[in-house]
Structure formats: C-alpha cells, structure tokens
Amino acid sequence: MIIGVPKEVKIGETRVSMTPSLCRRVTSLGGKVLLEKSAGISAGFVDAQYKAAGATIVPSASKVWKSADVILKVKEPLKEEYSLIQQGQTIFTYLHLAAGPELAKELCRKSVLGIAYETVEGSDGSFPLLKPMSQIAGRLSIQIGAYRLQSQLGGSGVLLGGIPGTMPGHVVVIGAGNSGAHAVQMAAGMGARVTVLDLDTRKLEALDTEYRGRIVTLMSNPANIEHEVADADLLIGAVLIPAAKAPIVVSEKVVKSMRPGSVIVDIAIDQGGCVETIRPTSHEKPTYKEHDVIHYAVPNMPALVGRTSALGLTQATEPFVAMMVQKGVERALNEHKGLAKGVNTRNGRIVYGAVSQALGFES
C-alpha cells in the first residue's frame, strides 16, 4: 500500500498528517510513504527525518496524489486540490462535509472513499481522532480570547484574571464537551469567572465536581444563554453535533447585547459555527468586528501550534493507519466498526446519515 502525504495548502496551516515516527511505523509494516517535499517543515520535521524513516520524498503534490492508494491529510481538500483527486481514491482526513457541500459533491463525483477523522468512533462511542484537536482548540480559545481583549487590539481592556480589588473577566463557555471542558480548565486556571452551559447534566455535574464551586454550571437554554452572554467578556462557542452542522445557539440579538470590545471565539466554525453573526476567518485575518464585538473564527485554529497538534493528531491516527496498511482498507473497515463509522462517502454517495441530512443529499 502506498500512503501519500501532500503538503497542506490551507492558509496558515502548519500541521502535517504524518510524523517521522508514524512514517517509520508504516514502512516497518511493509507500506510505502510518498511525502511531498517540505510537508512537515512547518511542524518542525525536516525531509531528512522522513528519509531516515523510509519515506520517498517527491517534488510536487501532483506526484503524491497520482501514485497514492491512500491520501493522508489534516484538512479537507480545497478547490485547488480537486483536480488532483484520483477516481476511486481513499482519503483519510478531517472532512467536515456538513459545512462543505461542494467538496461532498466532488468526492461523490470521483467515487472517493472518504474516511473522516471526526466521525471515527472508539469502542466507548467517543471520537478519538477529534479529541486531541478539540482539546487544543479549547485551550487556545482562552489564550486567543485573552489576547484579543487587549485595548490596543480593540478589545475591552479586561484582564481575565483581574487583580486584587477588581472583578476578574467573565468567560462564558457554551458546550461542555472536550473543547469546552478544556476551555473551562484554561479560563479557571487564569483566575477568570467561568460559566459553562450545556444540555447534558452529566457533563455539568462532572465539571461541578471537578472545580468544587469555582465555576458556575447552567443548563443551556435561551434564557440562560441570553443572560450570561450579555455579561460575558469572552464567549466561547464549543457546541458539537458530530458530523452535523452546528446549531445556532447565540442569536444576533444576543450578540448585540454584549459590551463593546467583548470577544467571541467560535470553535464550532468547522461545522458552520454556533453564533449567528459568525463567519469563517483565516490566520492572515483572524478577526472582524460586528456590533462592536470582536469575532474570531479560524477553522484550523490548532495550526497555531503545529508541532503539538501534529504529534497529538498522529498518535491518535496511528493505530488506524497501521491497521489499514496491515490488512488493507476494506478489511480494516470490515473488522473495525469504529473505523467504519468514519466513512462519509463511498461509491459516489454520502453514506453518513448526519452529513447527508445536513446537506440534503440522498444517503
């Protein structure tokens, strides 16, 4: 089996889908790795390390795509990569098709076996390939929000931890999953006032037990969201419905109620975002203001810490990549139900229910 690793082309993307360590694992199992020149450089991995691990370095992305049985990526293929996709090829990456109807159509047109990291399941029903990036995005959201609150950047000038004799900043986190829980951890660690809202009382109970009264937990409903967001210095949108489009839980009316210079960081932007006024931004231009509120919505936020993200992602994907190399893709899918859950497109059709429903495609 030939595993192809092209260089990521999304603006500001620094991650790579294969580390030298994973490359060594693949080649030791009899697989072949074709790596585009400098694919790992932004994450701190040079070509010589991949060569030592058994990879073949090729000069262009087209050579990788043309020869590979399986394309291993971080981000979904962009429009400029559509022409490189081979008929019937297997692509293993974050796809987020619910927010990408054009890509979904292209994958179907070329009968691509599209295996999405974000819908691969563990034996306990968790999402092991989504987890590390959710954790990183959650932690980064507080770091980014605290920075954007600075007066010189147009923020309200609030220090999240405050100082003795002043009120600390108020961080409101909507969603208590992996990303939300890690945002809570960072915000609480900085000394902020933290309110977290979720529909799942079990998640709220777990956070309440962990923080022993140092944070406020509330049921996520329109009244609570409206009240808390109006008082927020930093709002974190961390709502996730696996593979489906994120629901809008913060209306434009609620955004208007926020204080000037407040900040919104919407981690759910990969799935369309959970704030009505949000739209995707980029690392080159990460923010915009609407209703005098700063909006940050970079879909590939973990690329800010490319090395940590690449290491976290590949240690999660390694067992699945190794399984495909050892057994072949189809046998691996047949034998591992969790990996099979990752299949979003096959034989020209959308086969993952939540995706087909979000896009209005016939599954």
Side-chain angles (χ1 to χ4, degrees):
M1 177 184 291
I2 301 174
I3 304 288
V5 182
K7 191 172 185 178
E8 299 294 325
V9 297
K10 195 174 185 74
I11 293 174
E13 185 55 67
T14 62
R15 292 171 289 180
V16 64
S17 61
M18 180 176 284
T19 58
S21 175
L22 177 53
C23 179
R24 187 173 291 107
R25 177 79 185 279
V26 168
T27 56
S28 72
L29 293 172
K32 183 176 180 180
V33 174
L34 292 183
L35 183 106
E36 184 181 355
K37 183 180 179 182
S38 302
I41 197 71
S42 294
F45 304 111
V46 299
D47 290 346
Q49 291 175 285
Y50 288 103
K51 285 182 181 178
T56 299
I57 310 298
V58 296
S60 67
S62 61
K63 289 186 178 296
V64 173
W65 285 88
K66 188 175 181 179
S67 303
D69 301 305
V70 176
I71 291 291
L72 194 65
K73 280 179 57 42
V74 177
K75 291 301 292 178
E76 71 283 352
L78 301 186
K79 285 184 180 180
E80 56 262 43
E81 295 176 294
Y82 288 2
S83 62
L84 301 176
I85 299 172
Q86 304 297 299
Q87 195 76 23
Q89 201 162 40
T90 297
I91 301 178
F92 193 27
T93 188
Y94 290 114
L95 287 173
H96 297 296
L97 294 180
E102 289 186 15
L103 174 60
K105 289 177 182 177
E106 183 67 15
L107 297 184
C108 288
R109 189 176 73 83
K110 291 193 172 178
S111 296
V112 167
L113 177 60
I115 308 174
Y117 291 159
E118 69 270 16
T119 62
V120 171
E121 291 188 19
S123 57
D124 58 354
S126 64
F127 298 91
L129 307 190
L130 192 60
K131 186 176 181 178
M133 297 305 100
S134 296
Q135 292 172 336
I136 289 171
R139 294 185 178 209
L140 278 175
S141 69
I142 303 301
Q143 186 173 307
I144 290 163
Y147 176 67
R148 292 290 165 181
L149 281 167
Q150 293 179 177
S151 301
Q152 291 87 343
L153 298 172
S156 60
V158 170
L159 180 66
L160 286 184
I163 61 169
T166 71
M167 286 289 286
H170 186 196
V171 176
V172 175
V173 181
I174 302 179
N178 275 316
S179 58
H182 280 261
V184 168
Q185 183 185 67
M186 289 292 284
M190 293 176 73
R193 289 185 294 137
V194 181
T195 301
V196 57
L197 302 96
D198 199 277
L199 293 170
D200 190 336
T201 55
R202 293 171 299 177
K203 292 178 181 177
L204 296 178
E205 287 168 0
L207 288 171
D208 185 68
T209 299
E210 181 178 354
Y211 291 96
R212 301 181 180 181
R214 289 189 292 125
I215 67 170
V216 174
T217 60
L218 291 173
M219 281 299 295
S220 183
N221 59 49
N224 283 339
I225 289 173
E226 184 174 345
H227 182 269
E228 296 303 318
V229 172
D231 185 57
D233 296 297
L234 172 58
L235 169 64
I236 306 299
V239 176
L240 172 70
I241 300 175
K245 199 174 188 306
I248 298 297
V249 297
V250 179
S251 68
E252 184 170 5
K253 178 184 174 182
V254 173
V255 172
K256 286 180 180 179
S257 73
M258 297 177 74
R259 287 186 292 272
S262 301
V263 176
I264 296 172
V265 179
D266 196 340
I267 300 171
I269 192 63
D270 266 325
Q271 299 291 96
C274 62
V275 178
E276 189 173 13
T277 52
I278 210 72
R279 62 177 184 268
T281 59
S282 70
H283 289 293
E284 289 185 348
K285 192 174 180 182
T287 64
Y288 61 91
K289 268 194 176 184
E290 192 156 334
H291 305 304
D292 217 15
V293 174
I294 297 169
H295 292 58
Y296 179 102
V298 177
N300 56 334
M301 191 191 304
L304 288 169
V305 287
R307 188 174 181 87
T308 296
S309 293
L311 290 168
L313 175 61
T314 56
Q315 71 182 12
T317 59
E318 180 171 340
F320 299 101
V321 174
M323 189 184 310
M324 286 191 280
V325 172
Q326 282 180 299
K327 300 183 177 183
V329 174
E330 289 300 335
R331 185 178 166 195
L333 292 172
N334 288 334
E335 294 185 7
H336 196 291
K337 293 181 180 179
L339 180 59
K341 290 277 190 178
V343 177
N344 280 208
T345 63
R346 180 195 281 273
N347 297 328
R349 301 177 66 198
I350 301 287
V351 295
Y352 197 90
V355 173
S356 60
Q357 185 176 359
L359 296 177
F361 287 14
E362 184 181 344
S363 60

